[in-house]
Amino acid sequence: MRVFSGIRPTGNLHLGNYLGAMRQWITIQEKEDCVFCVVDLHAITTPYDPKNLKANIFELAIDYLAAGLNPEKCILFIQSSVKEHAELAWLLGTVTPLGELKRMTQFKDKSKQHPEYVNAGLLNYPILMAADILLYQTDIVPIGKDQQQHVELTREIVRDFNKRFGQILKEPRALLPQVGDKIMSLTEPDKKMSKTGNPKSFIGLFEEPESIKAKIMAAVTDTGKDIKFNPVKKPGISNLLTIYSLASGKPIEELEKQFEKKRYSDFKNSLAEYLAEYLKPFSKKRKELLTREVYVNDILRRGSQKAATIAQSTMQEIKTAMGL
Ligand code: TRP
């Protein structure tokens, strides 16, 4: 089965990205035919500094590798290096209803967030995402819950397209993370963990142990003193339990038992220690890769060649079907 997913190169990966989405990629690359992409064309739909973009793209590729993507087992490449992505997005734009695009939650959120930067690309973002997915005749799209709506729209585009032009495109399906769809912010546990928020609200995948510990110890908890999973009444502790469970592989109930008579601070101490150890190998690998620019560029170049071969063949079929 073909698997496709992407992450925008906007700042470093955090624990939420990793536990929520990326970890699935690492497992799935062992058994399926995986294509992973640094989606730089998506990144330019929100405010950014062109002086930093190139470095961010490259670093995200390094982050992917440091987090465990294996270039022998998957295709890793940069979106803008395969021009068919932009080309197919244009074609799909002609079969996507405007009303659907305007309804997308992410479009509405981002328009509110950056009212001075509501460009057509932001509106068309889901079309480019559909193009990414459909160029590779993807079966499965591992994503966070916030992107599910975009995959649903992709499925509608496929159905409309195939009705008009013949059975050309494959209808993909979203693969959501199982436990803890969402890792929440450490400072505002009712919001998603995000790398653009307050630095205390997230833990970077490559953060130093001291700073990891400080952030966990400072994480917002709830009134009361029981270490019990209850996202509605105890969003702070529940989020920390989710993080602990996902990182350690221990079920939440087991953690609740382990910390039954303990204080919040005992629990946080234990989690802080665990996470600092857990994340050490990631930093080590990343530091090493940062000194191997030629090697990383070579991986990306080969990835881009493999991706282009698949993309070009799909593109040819699509153009023929559309009468171009
Ligand atoms: N929109 C996704 C996000 O913000 C990133 C993305 C772009 C993507 N193209 C994709 C994810 C294709 C899955 C498949 O997280």
Side-chain angles (χ1 to χ4, degrees):
M1 285 220 265
R2 173 67 45 71
V3 175
F4 185 99
S5 197
I7 293 197
R8 272 174 293 163
T10 47
N12 288 333
L13 289 175
H14 59 66
L15 195 62
N17 299 133
Y18 181 73
L19 295 177
M22 260 205 90
R23 220 163 50 140
Q24 299 194 94
W25 303 10
I26 306 204
T27 345
I28 213 168
Q29 71 179 343
E30 299 296 330
K31 25 186 214 292
E32 309 294 351
D33 184 3
C34 292
V35 184
F36 296 119
C37 184
V38 177
V39 291
D40 53 350
L41 296 175
H42 280 107
I44 60 176
T45 59
T46 43
Y48 76 102
D49 185 348
K51 284 201 288 296
N52 304 335
L53 186 58
K54 249 217 141 65
N56 287 344
I57 294 168
F58 187 70
E59 286 200 16
L60 185 58
I62 286 186
D63 290 358
Y64 274 136
L65 295 167
L69 286 192
N70 179 348
E72 305 300 322
K73 297 198 166 153
C74 66
I75 297 178
L76 174 63
F77 75 109
I78 295 166
Q79 187 185 33
S80 66
S81 72
V82 176
K83 63 184 180 354
E84 283 73 16
H85 289 252
E87 193 179 357
L88 180 56
W90 176 261
L91 300 184
L92 296 179
T94 66
V95 299
T96 309
L98 180 59
E100 290 292 321
L101 294 173
K102 286 187 177 160
R103 254 197 294 284
M104 294 291 117
T105 310
Q106 179 176 296
F107 173 66
K108 289 195 273 188
D109 287 351
K110 299 245 150 133
S111 312
K112 244 188 253 155
Q113 222 175 322
H114 309 288
E116 74 300 339
Y117 205 82
V118 186
N119 57 84
L122 187 64
L123 179 73
N124 292 337
Y125 182 114
I127 305 179
L128 179 59
M129 183 163 157
D132 297 342
I133 297 169
L134 301 176
L135 272 178
Y136 301 93
Q137 299 286 12
T138 301
D139 299 281
I140 296 173
V141 189
I143 38 158
K145 198 158 173 66
D146 63 316
Q147 295 298 313
Q148 192 175 16
Q149 198 181 30
H150 292 161
V151 176
E152 281 309 313
L153 179 58
T154 302
R155 290 162 60 88
E156 280 168 44
I157 293 174
V158 168
R159 291 194 288 265
D160 289 351
F161 183 99
N162 287 349
K163 215 183 288 160
R164 267 179 79 184
F165 304 112
Q167 285 297 320
I168 305 287
L169 300 176
K170 199 180 244 178
E171 201 173 315
R173 138 177 104 69
L175 176 68
L176 297 175
Q178 296 185 336
V179 212
D181 274 340
K182 273 193 191 168
I183 302 296
M184 312 306 278
S185 151
L186 298 177
T187 48
E188 296 168 277
D190 54 332
K191 298 210 177 91
K192 197 173 105 166
M193 184 178 278
S194 151
K195 53 197 164 194
T196 48
N198 169 355
K200 289 206 173 114
S201 69
F202 66 87
I203 289 180
L205 201 55
F206 306 102
E207 211 162 303
E208 295 298 326
E210 288 319 309
S211 129
I212 295 173
K213 288 182 195 164
K215 286 184 184 181
I216 291 292
M217 296 315 290
V220 165
T221 43
D222 320 282
T223 49
K225 54 184 179 11
D226 295 338
I227 294 147
K228 276 263 168 249
F229 187 78
N230 184 339
V232 179
K233 290 206 176 122
K234 297 173 86 69
I237 281 292
S238 302
N239 187 39
L240 297 180
L241 275 166
T242 303
I243 293 175
Y244 209 157
S245 167
L246 287 174
S248 67
K250 283 188 194 171
I252 288 184
E253 305 81 67
E254 192 180 321
L255 291 167
E256 285 175 337
K257 263 206 203 93
Q258 185 182 335
F259 291 98
E260 200 164 347
K261 298 246 153 54
K262 301 273 166 54
R263 289 171 304 179
Y264 281 171
S265 60
D266 300 322
F267 171 67
K268 280 179 160 182
N269 256 318
S270 164
L271 171 59
E273 288 293 332
Y274 191 91
L275 273 185
E277 268 319 296
Y278 179 72
L279 293 179
K280 259 187 202 157
F282 292 87
S283 304
K284 185 160 171 262
K285 183 91 189 283
R286 181 167 187 273
K287 282 197 191 112
E288 180 204 315
L289 287 166
L290 278 169
T291 65
R292 300 179 67 195
E293 198 173 324
V294 176
Y295 167 74
V296 175
N297 277 326
D298 195 52
I299 291 175
L300 292 171
R301 199 173 33 76
R302 276 184 290 141
S304 155
Q305 277 166 359
K306 287 189 220 153
T309 306
I310 308 171
Q312 281 159 10
S313 129
T314 314
M315 199 60 204
Q316 199 46 56
E317 276 183 67
I318 292 172
K319 284 172 90 171
T320 306
M322 289 181 83
L324 290 163

